[in-house]
Amino acid sequence: MKRIIFGLILVISFSQCATETKNTIISGTVQGLKKGQLLIQELNDTVLVTLDSIAVQGNADFKFSVDLQEPEVLYLALIFQDSVTPNKYIPFFAERGAVNIQTDLENFELDYAVSGSQNQTVWNEYRQLMRRYNEKKLDYIKEELSAMQSGNTSETENWRTQQQKLMTSRYLATVNFAKNHRDMAIAPYLMLLEIPDVNVKYHDTIYKLLSPEIKNSKYGNALESFILEQN
């Protein structure tokens, strides 16, 4: 009888663990994907660590369950079982709740949409802002090359100066963007990812403006460590 009761306890315990739900569901579709492996990974120091994975066999839909302590950037990785096709990665800001990712096999890393994350929405806004700076930079480079080809030294220097001014403007735009979103995890993340080479006083300014919750977050702590290392 004791053995039976003990066995029932084990079954109940196992059933509870098996049905335990995690706080974040990441689902979506990779249109055109027939075979491969999808993984959800996080960056731990400099190493990608797998949190969950599935093998794709004809079904392009996927669903992962992970536990998040706070909003952070994760990676949806697409791995093929051969030594020829390179691995592909989509970085996205995950948050507790339901996050959905839609992409396709051909443009996996380029044409994707993420919903269900406020930090991701703000990150998309930042990327749109930076796209305008990148387009203007390309225009300036074309003008510089044209001036060089025509042998116009003064115009060449002028366009190089314009590029330097544009870079400074881009840096300041990032600082201002982080300032306007200082109550979100995206703020310290952008300071670390996008402008690590800017004068550390800007990092310090943003860090001091962060809400207490964000200061104590993964990226808030990383920003504080970065500032201390530079001083």
Side-chain angles (χ1 to χ4, degrees):
M1 177 64 70
K2 288 183 179 179
R3 289 182 180 180
I4 295 174
I5 293 174
F6 181 70
L8 287 173
I9 292 173
L10 285 179
V11 170
I12 293 171
S13 298
F14 177 79
S15 176
Q16 287 176 339
C17 291
T19 58
E20 181 182 355
T21 57
K22 298 185 177 179
N23 64 20
T24 306
I25 302 299
I26 302 167
S27 62
T29 307
V30 182
Q31 295 289 346
L33 179 62
K34 301 298 182 183
K35 188 175 182 180
Q37 188 176 20
L38 289 170
L39 304 89
I40 292 295
Q41 299 180 311
E42 70 172 346
L43 191 62
N44 190 347
D45 290 330
T46 58
V47 179
L48 283 172
V49 178
T50 299
L51 303 179
D52 199 0
S53 65
I54 59 170
V56 177
Q57 296 289 345
N59 187 355
D61 297 332
F62 61 84
K63 185 177 182 179
F64 300 101
S65 297
V66 300
D67 269 321
L68 286 183
Q69 299 301 314
E70 59 185 312
E72 70 170 295
V73 173
L74 299 181
Y75 296 82
L76 174 64
L78 174 57
I79 311 296
F80 295 95
Q81 304 304 318
D82 60 56
S83 58
V84 179
T85 310
N87 300 336
K88 300 180 180 182
Y89 300 89
I90 292 177
F92 65 99
F93 238 110
E95 296 177 0
R96 291 180 183 179
V99 178
N100 186 270
I101 304 174
Q102 296 293 325
T103 186
D104 63 74
L105 179 60
E106 185 175 355
N107 299 299
F108 185 82
E109 299 170 305
L110 300 175
D111 188 18
Y112 62 90
V114 181
S115 58
S117 166
Q118 292 182 341
N119 278 278
Q120 181 66 42
T121 298
V122 173
W123 198 6
N124 291 343
E125 293 173 6
Y126 174 80
R127 286 170 168 166
Q128 188 63 36
L129 174 65
M130 290 300 106
R131 187 173 292 116
R132 295 198 289 269
Y133 281 95
N134 293 334
E135 290 172 353
K136 188 171 290 187
K137 180 181 178 180
L138 289 175
D139 290 339
Y140 287 173
I141 291 174
K142 290 178 182 178
E143 294 292 349
E144 179 192 350
L145 291 174
S146 178
M148 289 175 63
Q149 291 173 354
S150 63
N152 192 327
T153 304
S154 61
E155 276 296 296
T156 300
E157 289 300 320
N158 172 61
W159 289 113
R160 287 176 180 171
T161 300
Q162 294 302 317
Q163 289 177 57
Q164 288 295 324
K165 290 181 178 179
L166 182 66
M167 182 176 67
T168 300
S169 178
R170 175 184 172 276
Y171 282 178
L172 293 177
T174 299
V175 172
N176 190 57
F177 193 92
K179 177 183 176 182
N180 291 337
H181 298 89
R182 55 187 177 271
D183 59 342
M184 301 180 71
I186 187 72
Y189 181 79
L190 288 179
M191 294 299 295
L192 291 166
L193 178 73
E194 296 290 340
I195 52 175
D197 53 342
V198 76
N199 192 309
V200 72
K201 70 178 183 181
Y202 292 109
H203 295 92
D204 189 53
T205 296
I206 293 302
Y207 177 76
K208 290 176 179 176
L209 290 173
L210 297 177
S211 66
E213 180 182 0
I214 301 302
K215 276 186 179 180
N216 293 321
S217 70
K218 176 178 181 177
Y219 300 126
N221 289 327
L223 181 58
E224 181 185 26
S225 298
F226 177 83
I227 293 169
L228 293 174
E229 290 171 2
Q230 304 305 307
N231 292 327

